[in-house]
Amino acid sequence: MVIFYRMKAYTKKLVLEDGREFPGFGFASDIEKVGELVFNTSMVGYQEILSDPSYAGQIIVMTYPLIGNYGITDEDYETKFPSVGGMIVKENNDSPSNFRYTKTLAEVLDENNIPAISGIDTRMLTRILRDSQGMRAIITDIDTPVEEAVAKINATMRPTDLVSRVSCKKRWFARTPNYKYDIVAIDCGMKYNMVRSLNAQNCNVTVVPWNTSAEQIMQFNPDGVLISNGPGSPEDVPEVVETIRQLRGKVPMFGICLGHQLIGLAYGAKIGQINPGHRGGNHPVKELETGRVLITAQNHGYAVEKDSLSNTPLKVTHINLLDGTVEGTECKEDNVISVQFHPESAPGPTDSIYLFEKFISLVKNA
C-alpha cells in the first residue's frame, strides 16, 4: 500500500530587492508590506523586540529557530503599539507554554496589522543580509510575480519621518515614591524600560515629544535630560540635534542608541551607516577606562565615526570588540554621557545598569 502525504501549500513569500524569493506560511495580518530587512540574534525577548520602536518599518528576521513558544505577556511591552514592518521566523509556535501569557504572537501581530511568515530558511537569509550592504524586501502573496514584487520595492520611498511616527504626541509623567531628581526624557521612540530604570534611581520622569524645544524643556526645571533610542537615521531629526546643542552645559544629559548618535552630531561628529547593523543581545563592548568587557544588547544600523571625534570635546569611553566601532562617549565639562547599546535591556544581565547610576551621579554633582 502506498501512502501519499499532501504538503501544506505556501501562502506567502518574502521577495528581496535583488529578486530572490523565499516562500513560506503567513501567520499574521494578511497585508503586503515593504521594509528594510534586518536580522536579530537574540535567543529570547521577541516581545520586547516586536514592541521596540527602534524597529519601526523594518522587517525583522529572527535567527533563533523557534519563536512564539512563551506567548505575549501584557506586562512585557516596550511600547503600547508595535510598529515593526513584519517578522520572519523559521518556526512559529501558536500554542505557548507560559502561565503569564495572554495572547499568542500571531494574535498580537494581526491586531497591529503586521504581516509575518514562518517556514523560511532564516540561516540562509541571515547570511545574505550579513554579506549585503543593506537590503529591502516585501512580504507579499505567494502568487505575486517576482517582477511585480521588485517593482513595488523600488517604487516605495525610504521613510524619513519614523521618529515623528513613534514618538509620544503629548507629554506624560512617570512618578516614583521618595523621588530625589526630576528627569526630562526626549522621546524619539523610547522603550518603557528606560523610564522604569530612571524610576528605580529615585527619579520622577517627564516624557516629552521628540520636537520639544530646549526652552520648553528648561521650563520643567529638570535635574537631567535623557535622549532616547529611536528608529532611522539621526540626520532625519535635526530638530533634536539643535535642542541638544542649546542644552549643552546647562543640564546633565544621557543619550542611548539614537540619542548617542544625536549627541555626536550636536558636538560636530559625523555618523556613518554600518552593514550589517548591530541587533541582538550578545555584543561585547570594552569600557576603556576600566578595561572590563560588557555583554550588551544593541539595535542600530548607524554609528558615530571615530575619526570625526578628534575635533570635538567628546571622548570615546567604549568600543565594540567585534568591529571597533564607537560604543560610548562623554564630555566631562558639560556632564554629558552617551552609549550606543541599551543598558536598560538587562544584558549580561546587569553588566551595564551602572550607566544609569553614573548619569544620576552627574545629576547629583551638578
Side-chain angles (χ1 to χ4, degrees):
M1 181 177 65
V2 178
I3 300 176
F4 294 95
Y5 293 95
R6 177 176 294 180
M7 292 184 62
K8 183 179 177 181
Y10 291 129
T11 59
K12 295 285 183 178
K13 64 181 176 181
L14 180 75
V15 181
L16 310 188
E17 61 183 336
D18 63 6
R20 279 179 279 192
E21 299 176 279
F22 290 83
F25 309 101
F27 66 90
S29 178
D30 187 24
I31 65 169
E32 195 172 70
K33 188 63 72 74
V34 175
E36 179 189 6
L37 196 61
V38 300
F39 66 87
N40 186 291
T41 59
S42 298
M43 296 177 66
V44 295
Y46 57 79
Q47 179 176 349
E48 290 81 355
I49 293 166
L50 167 68
S51 58
D52 182 350
S54 297
Y55 284 107
Q58 293 179 327
I59 299 173
I60 308 168
V61 180
M62 301 300 298
T63 62
Y64 192 72
L66 179 62
I67 301 297
N69 53 308
Y70 53 85
I72 298 292
T73 304
D74 290 341
E75 295 85 0
D76 293 344
Y77 284 101
E78 288 290 0
T79 189
K80 288 183 180 179
F81 305 106
S83 54
V84 301
M87 185 167 280
I88 309 298
V89 304
K90 175 64 177 175
E91 180 182 349
N92 170 53
N93 185 328
D94 209 38
S95 300
S97 177
N98 177 7
F99 74 96
R100 295 177 65 234
Y101 101 93
T102 54
K103 295 179 181 179
T104 67
L105 174 62
E107 287 172 335
V108 171
L109 290 170
D110 190 40
E111 288 174 0
N112 289 277
N113 215 28
I114 299 169
I117 305 179
S118 65
I120 284 180
D121 187 346
T122 52
R123 292 183 300 176
M124 177 185 291
L125 192 54
T126 300
R127 290 175 68 92
I128 292 172
L129 295 176
R130 186 187 63 186
D131 297 334
S132 72
Q133 294 301 309
M135 184 77 70
R136 291 200 300 164
I138 184 172
I139 295 175
T140 187
D141 189 78
I142 190 66
D143 296 325
T144 303
V146 64
E147 297 81 6
E148 180 182 332
V150 172
K152 289 181 178 180
I153 296 172
N154 294 332
T156 303
M157 298 291 292
R158 295 180 183 271
T160 58
D161 61 344
L162 293 173
V163 168
S164 64
R165 292 187 197 178
V166 298
S167 176
C168 62
K169 308 309 176 189
K170 296 181 179 180
R171 70 175 185 269
W172 57 279
F173 305 96
R175 297 182 174 89
T176 187
N178 303 315
Y179 87 98
K180 295 181 179 179
Y181 308 107
D182 288 299
I183 304 298
V184 169
I186 302 176
D187 180 6
C188 297
M190 185 170 59
K191 297 165 64 178
Y192 286 160
N193 212 32
M194 290 183 185
V195 176
R196 300 186 195 109
S197 298
L198 289 171
N199 287 157
Q201 297 294 327
N202 302 113
C203 297
N204 279 348
V205 182
T206 301
V207 182
V208 298
W210 67 281
N211 56 353
T212 304
S213 68
E215 181 181 2
Q216 291 171 316
I217 289 172
M218 293 305 293
Q219 288 177 357
F220 291 103
N221 194 27
D223 297 307
V225 173
L226 175 82
I227 305 97
S228 83
N229 64 299
S233 168
E235 295 179 344
D236 291 338
V237 281
E239 299 91 339
V240 186
V241 176
E242 182 57 32
T243 296
I244 295 171
R245 287 197 185 106
Q246 294 182 24
L247 291 175
R248 281 177 53 177
K250 295 180 180 179
V251 62
M253 288 188 286
F254 182 21
I256 297 177
C257 196
L258 180 65
H260 159 80
Q261 299 162 15
L262 292 168
I263 285 176
L265 285 176
Y267 276 84
K270 295 181 179 179
I271 305 296
Q273 192 167 4
I274 56 174
N275 289 302
H278 299 164
R279 297 178 179 88
N282 49 9
H283 290 262
V285 168
K286 183 177 181 179
E287 184 180 51
L288 298 181
E289 184 177 2
T290 63
R292 65 175 175 170
V293 176
L294 316 174
I295 299 302
T296 68
Q298 305 205 11
N299 174 20
H300 63 103
Y302 297 86
V304 175
E305 295 182 356
K306 188 175 183 180
D307 293 342
S308 69
L309 290 170
S310 58
N311 295 322
T312 75
L314 293 176
K315 172 188 173 185
V316 178
T317 57
H318 299 75
I319 60 169
N320 190 298
L321 291 181
L322 297 179
D323 58 12
T325 53
V326 175
E327 291 281 356
T329 61
E330 71 174 347
C331 178
K332 292 185 177 180
E333 180 182 356
D334 293 339
N335 289 319
V336 172
I337 60 174
S338 68
V339 290
Q340 183 64 77
F341 49 94
H342 285 261
E344 84 289 344
S345 292
T350 58
D351 286 17
S352 53
I353 198 66
Y354 76 95
L355 289 161
F356 285 99
E357 299 170 358
K358 182 176 181 179
F359 174 49
I360 298 307
S361 70
L362 294 180
V363 168
K364 180 180 179 179
N365 294 335

